[in-house]
Amino acid sequence: MDKFKIVADSSADLVSLPDVPFSFAPLKIITAEAEYVDDENLDVENMVESLLQYKGKSTTSCPNPDEWLKVFGEAENIFCVPISGNISGSYNAAKVAKDIYESEYPDRRVYVVNTLSAGPEMKLIIEKICEMIKGGAEFEEICRGVEEYTKKTGLFFLLQSVKNFANNGRINPLIAKGVGLLGIRILGKASDNGQLQLLDKCRGGEKALAAIIRQLKSHGLKSGKVRITHCLNESAAQKLYDMIHAEFRKAEIQIYKCRGLCSFYAEKGGLLVGFEKC
């Protein structure tokens, strides 16, 4: 039995970790025409293109407690990293699973991280947990370290479309109709209580990327980590990478693709940016 294990839901955009045991619980994207399970077999590009053509209502479904218990598996100490509880029921389901697991195995412990975020900010949190495990920290020390670390991370998103947000009932349809027209992009962030907060409307890709740089400055990025995920928009992600590198020479930056759940919300062309504030 492993001493430590990390688990997440699929909004973390991870299917494996190199040095620490890891499992993930897939979320689902559901329409009247199809159900997309956000696991390693999902054809994300096909899902994104299909949703672009879809006109009806779309919803998402989070892992239930039994699905969380399945990925907990066998470990003495489990760190569970779900999407913000103010976006999904995944966090609450994970808490229920924790109580069941610890009652069945009194000698084991589960820490459910209140990420208040999604995507690349969750990846930063998971990287921090890995770092502390490999550094020899014990369970309680890691829990305290994660609580402090989550105060020093943030998430921005830049969207070319918010059609799925509107269909999902998370944004006013009138706002959604204006996004994408005349090159309008929506810039927002994960708020302090884990909800989606709109910050600005930008006309044109260059202005939108420049707005992200301004926000990173104002939120305290200096030489920390930056994680950029994109939904079928590697060129914009690379351009943002170059702009961040030019402005913050010591920042440690990575680019990778959104998986299913984050692609559903980011939509085609969208970017998500997780970062350390100092």
Side-chain angles (χ1 to χ4, degrees):
M1 182 170 61
D2 295 312
K3 182 175 182 180
F4 294 107
K5 184 178 184 180
I6 300 173
V7 300
D9 61 37
S10 58
S11 65
D13 291 326
L14 289 170
V15 297
S16 64
L17 291 173
D19 302 314
V20 177
F22 176 81
S23 295
F24 74 97
L27 291 103
K28 298 175 183 176
I29 299 93
I30 303 166
T31 74
E33 298 175 351
E35 178 177 286
Y36 304 94
V37 180
D38 189 12
D39 60 16
E40 55 269 88
N41 299 313
L42 177 64
D43 184 337
V44 175
E45 183 171 353
N46 177 69
M47 183 197 80
V48 171
E49 297 294 349
S50 296
L51 289 172
L52 278 174
Q53 306 304 318
Y54 178 67
K55 304 299 182 184
K57 185 179 179 181
S58 53
T59 61
T60 60
S61 174
C62 68
N64 61 40
D66 286 341
E67 289 168 324
W68 274 118
L69 286 168
K70 183 177 179 180
V71 298
F72 283 0
E74 299 286 332
E76 292 179 32
N77 303 286
I78 298 169
F79 298 95
C80 178
V81 187
I83 192 172
S84 170
N86 285 325
I87 297 176
S88 166
S90 188
Y91 173 78
N92 289 331
K95 293 281 283 186
V96 172
K98 162 190 163 68
D99 292 342
I100 295 171
Y101 192 82
E102 291 182 337
S103 67
E104 291 183 356
Y105 305 102
D107 58 335
R108 304 181 194 177
R109 295 173 292 184
V110 179
Y111 175 56
V112 182
V113 183
N114 190 8
T115 66
L116 299 176
S117 194
E121 187 174 2
M122 291 171 65
K123 186 173 188 293
L124 288 173
I125 293 167
I126 290 169
E127 288 177 4
K128 182 65 175 180
I129 297 170
C130 288
E131 175 188 310
M132 296 188 74
I133 290 172
K134 289 188 282 187
E138 294 298 325
F139 180 80
E140 295 295 344
E141 183 183 356
I142 296 172
C143 294
R144 291 192 298 271
V146 170
E147 285 186 15
E148 288 302 310
Y149 185 70
T150 56
K151 299 174 185 176
K152 301 175 182 178
T153 60
L155 176 76
F156 292 123
F157 55 87
L158 184 66
L159 309 179
Q160 296 184 21
S161 169
V162 288
K163 171 177 167 284
N164 291 337
F165 273 117
N167 288 348
N168 198 243
R170 296 186 184 276
I171 197 169
N172 188 314
L174 293 177
I175 294 176
K177 287 181 180 179
V179 178
L181 297 176
L182 302 175
I184 297 296
R185 271 78 163 167
I186 287 286
L187 174 62
K189 71 173 185 177
S191 69
D192 291 341
N193 63 359
Q195 294 181 323
L196 305 172
Q197 179 181 343
L198 302 185
L199 297 174
D200 200 0
K201 294 179 183 179
C202 309
R203 180 167 292 177
E206 293 291 339
K207 289 182 179 179
L209 295 179
I212 292 179
I213 299 298
R214 291 195 298 272
Q215 290 291 339
L216 289 171
K217 282 184 181 179
S218 67
H219 282 74
L221 176 66
K222 293 178 182 176
S223 59
K225 294 180 179 179
V226 181
R227 302 292 179 259
I228 304 168
T229 62
H230 66 90
C231 180
L232 308 183
N233 197 358
E234 187 171 0
S235 61
Q238 185 61 54
K239 188 173 291 186
L240 180 60
Y241 177 107
D242 294 339
M243 293 171 70
I244 294 172
H245 181 67
E247 188 69 37
F248 309 96
R249 300 294 297 182
K250 295 183 179 180
E252 195 262 284
I253 315 164
Q254 293 179 7
I255 297 174
Y256 56 102
K257 296 177 181 178
C258 295
R259 293 201 52 77
L261 192 281
C262 287
S263 290
F264 173 72
Y265 284 121
E267 299 192 50
K268 189 173 183 179
L271 301 176
L272 301 174
V273 184
F275 66 100
E276 293 180 336
K277 297 177 182 178
C278 56

